[in-house]
Every structure is written in C-alpha cells, then in structure tokens.
Amino acid sequence: MPRLSLLSVTFAGALALAAPAWSFVAGNGLIVQPEGEGTFNVPFMGLSGDADFWCAAGDYVNNFLGMPGGTRIFRLSEPPRQRGQGIRFSLSAEGASAKSGLSIFSSEGPQGSVSAAMAFALCPPRFYPFGFMGLFR
C-alpha cells in the first residue's frame, strides 16, 4: 500500500473514532452532533471562529439532511461565544438568539438566522486535483 494511501486511511480511521457514531464531520473538520427536534450542536475543536461554526451548520443542513439552501438556521447560543465553547443551532426559531454573531449586511430572514446556503458559503474552498478548486463545493 503506498504511503499516501496508508496515511489517508489512518487519518480517516482516527477521525471516525474521535467522533461519536451519531455525529457528522463537516468539510472544515468540525463535528456536528444532532440533539433531536431539529437542534444540533457544533462543539469547540480548537482555533475556530463563528464563521467556522456556521460553515459546519450549513454543511450539515445542506449535505447531510439534504434540505434546500433557503432553509433557515437559527443560533440558540447567545453571542459572543465564550472561549472553549461551541455553538448550538436549530431549524426552528423557538429559543433563538436575537443575533447570529456574524456581520451580515442584509435584512433578509429573521434575526439570529442565516440561510443554509449562506452558512455553507462561509466554508473555505476545498482542494480538488487538476485545478478544479471550488467548482464542486
């Protein structure tokens, strides 16, 4: 087995063991833990800003739940996020924070929410071989 393949298999196995069985690993490496009733948590995992947490939430809603990009995601945890804490999100406005924690210059949608497409747009571009960067994000 080539060295690169062994390294990638080892990394994927370590990542799978680090995340509980009911978790989703977003493209940016953050873990999304469903809590039920449309509520989910993105726990703290090192140097991450609010945009990284929103990216993971958008990736989860778009690519794991398969919901449309216009689906609203509400922040339940009041900003600012404390050091070492994650952010809880919901697909329901019940108990939502009045602020999203992001600087968004739009009045579209309820306060404290972002569309799944907008949240996913906060994700960094993924690398694709042969120069196809960001085309299939």
Side-chain angles (χ1 to χ4, degrees), residues 10-25 29 31-33 43 45:
T10 303
F11 179 71
L15 192 58
L17 291 174
W22 61 90
S23 298
F24 168 77
V25 179
I31 295 173
V32 179
Q33 300 171 330
M45 292 196 53

Side-chain angles (χ1 to χ4, degrees), residues 6-134:
L6 181 61
L7 180 63
S8 60
V9 168
T10 303
F11 179 71
L15 192 58
L17 291 174
W22 61 90
S23 298
F24 168 77
V25 179
N28 64 358
L30 292 179
I31 295 173
V32 179
Q33 300 171 330
E35 297 178 348
E37 302 295 322
T39 303
F40 52 96
N41 182 42
V42 181
F44 178 76
M45 292 196 53
L47 297 174
S48 301
D50 283 355
D52 298 310
F53 290 94
W54 279 101
C55 162
D59 194 0
Y60 173 72
V61 171
N62 279 341
N63 297 319
F64 184 75
L65 297 180
M67 300 184 90
T71 303
R72 301 306 293 185
I73 303 172
F74 296 87
R75 180 178 178 153
L76 298 180
S77 307
E78 287 291 332
R81 181 181 54 82
Q82 300 301 314
R83 183 181 303 191
Q85 290 183 339
I87 299 178
R88 290 184 67 228
F89 296 97
S90 178
L91 299 177
S92 168
E94 186 176 332
S97 169
K99 298 179 181 178
S100 68
L102 299 172
S103 296
I104 299 175
F105 303 104
S106 171
S107 60
E108 185 179 315
Q111 285 188 331
S113 74
V114 171
S115 72
M118 172 66 179
F120 188 63
L122 296 171
C123 295
R126 296 180 181 162
F127 173 75
Y128 291 96
F130 309 112
F132 296 108
M133 287 185 64

